[in-house]
Amino acid sequence: MVARRIREATPIIPTRSGRAPWTLRRRLVVAMVAMLALVSLVIGVVSVAILSANLMDGLDDQLGNAAQRSSDVVGGRPGATDFTTTTPTASDVLNRPGQAPGTLALVYDGISVSAGYIDDSGTVVALSDDQVTQLVTELDSAVQQDGTSAPFSVNLGGDVGEYRVLAATAPRTGELYLIGLPVSSVTQTATQLAVIIGLVSLAGIIVVVFLATAIVRLALRPLQRVTETATRVSELPLDRGDVLLVDRVPAADTDPRTEVGRVGSALNRMLDHVDLALETRQASERKVRQFVADASHELRTPLASIRGYSELTRRSGQDLPPDTIHAIGRIESESVRMTGLVEDLLLLARLDEGRELEHEPVDLTRLLVDVVSDAHAAGRDHTWDLDLPEEPVLAAGDGPRLHQVFANLLANARVHTDPGTRVEVALAAEGDRAVVTITDNGPGIPENLRATLFERFARGDSSRFRGTGGSTGLGLAIVQAVVAAHHGEVTVDSRPGRTSFRVALPLA
Ligand SMILES: Nc1ncnc2c1ncn2[C@@H]1O[C@H](COP(=O)(O)OP(=O)(O)OP(=O)(O)O)[C@@H](O)[C@H]1O
Ligand SMILES: [Mg+2]
């Protein structure tokens, strides 16, 4: 009972519903991968930021050089085209030798604006009106008092894209001009670096997933062995019989210098304790069983004497007063009952000891015929039905003990039901089992008794014999013990109006 309660309270496989919790292995692998991903991300972001900043500085330097080349044109330096009569245009600036493809220029003399950029094929393409307006607006806000500006970024959209631009004023003529270089080279390089870092990190993460899984699995293998030992022990039926608790965690997994080793050695110590406790329990159980067996055995002889003497006195004492005759009759009947009780206790104690029963073929067909006819003789006001198969059914077992099993079940069907009850006894061979069912249409087994029906001294309040002391509550305990000793099983299904006991025994 206690053992059953423990098993119910701590199931080996938790039955809690919901998402399954993460295993330690998965948690460790995920943590490692997450850390690697975070480190890669930080390295990537910092590298790309530093590279972009450096490239941007380089671009600003190139921008300064381009502005220098342009100022020669716009300022009408010697050696350049003479712009004293005509105003230079963006094309004049861009056609200067040394201007890289992509360079953008805008020249503004206060009245007219010209703007364009060199495309990939080296020709100058004019900017659209919107782009020119945008540039002039940006220029206005960026140019300082001295007519120059620091490099700044402007996005012109469309095919042109983002530009880094610088504004300046021609020293002699005072025209405002602007020179720009595309930022795309910087972003391209930065993007390339980001992609390379991303791909390398991804490859690293994949390798780490496999390596970490393997390493963690290897590291947790000792824990697996400890768990296996614990599981094997938990599956042993420790609540009954002689138990040999020999399973231990292997010595290699009990090194107290490791975490798993500490768990392993703690488990082994616990198993030693449990083993000792079990041994003590078994020893004390054995002692009690021995005592019950000895006491029952010792009681048989004095009980037989009491019964003999009382019978003798009753037979020979015709001239005794009626009171004395009645008393002697009671002594005799009680000693008969007590003999039965002592026999039952002795049988149970011997079965508990695991004493081997006979294992011979027992003809259940004949045995049931005998038992039912005995029951019929004892219970004339019940209807007895016997349903037997054509072929005899032989079970492997101990004849007298099996006789007792069915006699007990039929006695119950007779004693615990009302007169007129129909009792059906059926025998059949099912697979490798002989199955006997005893069914009555009596009042059924009381609800409060069903859970403990097969326990010793469990009996119903309504037992008709209770008052006279005819019922001990050992009948079904003996049925259970004998059937179990035969490696069979007995089950019951009872409700008001139908009670059915089913005994399955191995066939001979
Ligand atoms: N066929 C049945 N119909 C109704 N109740 C039953 C039936 N069989 C058993 N019971 C109930 O189960 C109880 C336990 O039965 P069990 O055979 O173990 O003891 P008992 O018959 O009371 O005493 P004993 O058999 O030792 O003389 C009975 O007291 C009775 O209340
Ligand atoms: Mg009984």
Side-chain angles (χ1 to χ4, degrees):
M1 200 58 181
V2 175
R4 196 183 318 142
R5 229 178 297 136
I6 293 171
R7 264 206 297 280
E8 279 162 11
T10 54
I12 296 170
I13 300 158
T15 50
R16 239 181 308 148
S17 58
R19 207 163 52 88
W22 277 21
T23 58
L24 184 58
R25 189 196 305 167
R26 188 191 285 190
R27 270 190 254 176
L28 289 174
V29 172
V30 168
M32 281 188 220
V33 167
M35 277 189 295
L36 179 66
L38 190 72
V39 170
S40 308
L41 188 74
V42 170
I43 290 176
V45 168
V46 170
S47 312
V48 170
I50 291 174
L51 180 80
S52 301
N54 280 342
L55 289 177
M56 210 56 121
D57 283 349
L59 192 67
D60 288 351
D61 289 346
Q62 286 175 28
L63 204 55
N65 293 340
Q68 190 62 49
R69 285 193 288 276
S70 313
S71 74
D72 293 349
V73 178
V74 184
R77 285 270 177 87
T81 319
D82 181 13
F83 285 117
T84 43
T85 47
T86 50
T87 312
T89 63
S91 299
D92 297 323
V93 172
L94 293 173
N95 283 329
R96 286 284 294 163
Q99 299 292 45
T103 309
L104 175 143
L106 177 142
V107 180
Y108 180 49
D109 63 357
I111 307 158
S112 63
V113 181
S114 81
Y117 67 95
I118 309 172
D119 70 2
D120 291 339
S121 59
T123 38
V124 174
V125 181
L127 288 182
S128 73
D129 288 350
D130 283 350
Q131 288 166 333
V132 172
T133 318
Q134 189 190 349
L135 271 180
V136 171
T137 319
E138 298 267 359
L139 204 58
D140 276 348
S141 54
V143 173
Q144 294 153 5
Q145 272 322 202
D146 61 355
T148 59
S149 83
F152 63 95
S153 298
V154 53
N155 194 347
L156 294 171
D159 295 341
V160 187
E162 191 170 0
Y163 264 83
R164 191 81 176 154
V165 294
L166 181 76
T169 311
R172 270 186 325 121
T173 50
E175 282 141 357
L176 200 60
Y177 71 98
L178 178 148
I179 199 84
L181 284 172
V183 179
S184 59
S185 62
V186 174
T187 40
Q188 255 168 28
T189 314
T191 313
Q192 256 168 20
L193 180 70
V195 168
I196 289 170
I197 292 179
L199 287 179
V200 170
S201 304
L202 195 68
I205 285 174
I206 292 172
V207 170
V208 163
V209 166
F210 283 107
L211 276 183
T213 310
I215 290 170
V216 171
R217 178 174 297 162
L218 215 64
L220 289 183
R221 199 170 282 169
L223 194 61
Q224 179 69 25
R225 286 195 290 266
V226 174
T227 313
E228 277 163 12
T229 307
T231 310
R232 274 198 305 278
V233 172
S234 71
E235 281 162 359
L236 290 177
L238 299 182
D239 55 330
R240 65 195 116 89
D242 287 350
V243 190
L244 272 183
L245 209 58
V246 284
D247 230 324
R248 293 288 184 280
V249 177
D253 301 328
T254 55
D255 189 337
R257 287 169 299 180
T258 66
E259 289 86 347
V260 176
R262 279 198 287 278
V263 176
S265 69
L267 186 68
N268 275 358
R269 275 201 305 282
M270 192 189 83
L271 288 177
D272 288 344
H273 271 22
V274 173
D275 197 21
L276 194 71
L278 282 175
E279 253 171 46
T280 318
R281 169 179 75 72
Q282 282 157 17
S284 83
E285 260 179 24
R286 218 174 293 130
K287 229 184 269 172
V288 170
R289 250 186 257 131
Q290 190 63 45
F291 170 75
V292 173
D294 290 350
S296 312
H297 191 74
E298 289 302 317
L299 282 171
R300 278 162 132 190
T301 323
L303 276 173
S305 308
I306 294 173
R307 207 174 63 218
Y309 279 117
S310 54
E311 199 179 331
L312 193 70
T313 316
R314 179 170 54 78
R315 286 211 184 139
S316 60
Q318 259 86 359
D319 38 357
L320 289 173
D323 277 2
T324 315
I325 291 179
H326 174 74
I328 285 173
R330 290 289 301 134
I331 291 172
E332 197 185 333
S333 68
E334 284 301 283
S335 65
V336 168
R337 189 175 95 79
M338 203 161 159
T339 308
L341 182 60
V342 163
E343 293 292 343
D344 285 354
L345 285 174
L346 187 60
L347 175 61
L348 280 172
R350 287 189 174 157
L351 288 172
D352 283 350
E353 275 175 9
R355 202 176 282 193
E356 274 300 309
L357 295 171
E358 294 285 327
H359 260 276
E360 292 162 352
V362 178
D363 186 352
L364 288 181
T365 319
R366 272 193 51 192
L367 192 144
L368 286 178
V369 170
D370 291 350
V371 184
V372 171
S373 63
D374 290 353
H376 184 65
R380 294 245 162 236
D381 41 13
H382 282 61
T383 313
W384 302 92
D385 270 351
L386 181 57
D387 179 10
L388 295 173
E390 302 280 321
E391 297 289 314
V393 177
L394 299 182
D398 187 319
R401 297 283 84 91
L402 288 178
H403 184 281
Q404 194 170 358
V405 164
F406 299 117
N408 282 1
L409 289 172
L410 287 183
N412 281 352
R414 175 169 53 83
V415 172
H416 304 296
T417 58
D418 297 321
T421 301
R422 168 181 286 274
V423 184
E424 291 165 10
V425 181
L427 169 65
E430 291 178 9
D432 61 345
R433 307 242 122 180
V435 176
V436 180
T437 49
I438 293 154
T439 312
D440 68 63
N441 61 352
I445 291 161
E447 187 86 52
N448 58 357
L449 197 67
R450 283 182 204 161
T452 55
L453 188 65
F454 291 101
E455 281 175 25
R456 282 151 208 204
F457 299 108
R459 53 187 181 179
D461 286 336
S462 61
S463 260
R464 282 197 281 141
F465 277 121
R466 190 152 220 192
T468 59
S471 165
T472 58
L474 286 179
L476 288 178
I478 287 178
V479 168
Q480 166 110 23
V482 172
V483 172
H486 279 83
H487 309 291
E489 62 267 352
V490 52
T491 50
V492 62
D493 172 33
S494 178
R495 54 173 186 266
R498 187 175 186 279
T499 299
S500 182
F501 284 89
R502 182 179 190 277
V503 178
L505 295 165
L507 284 173

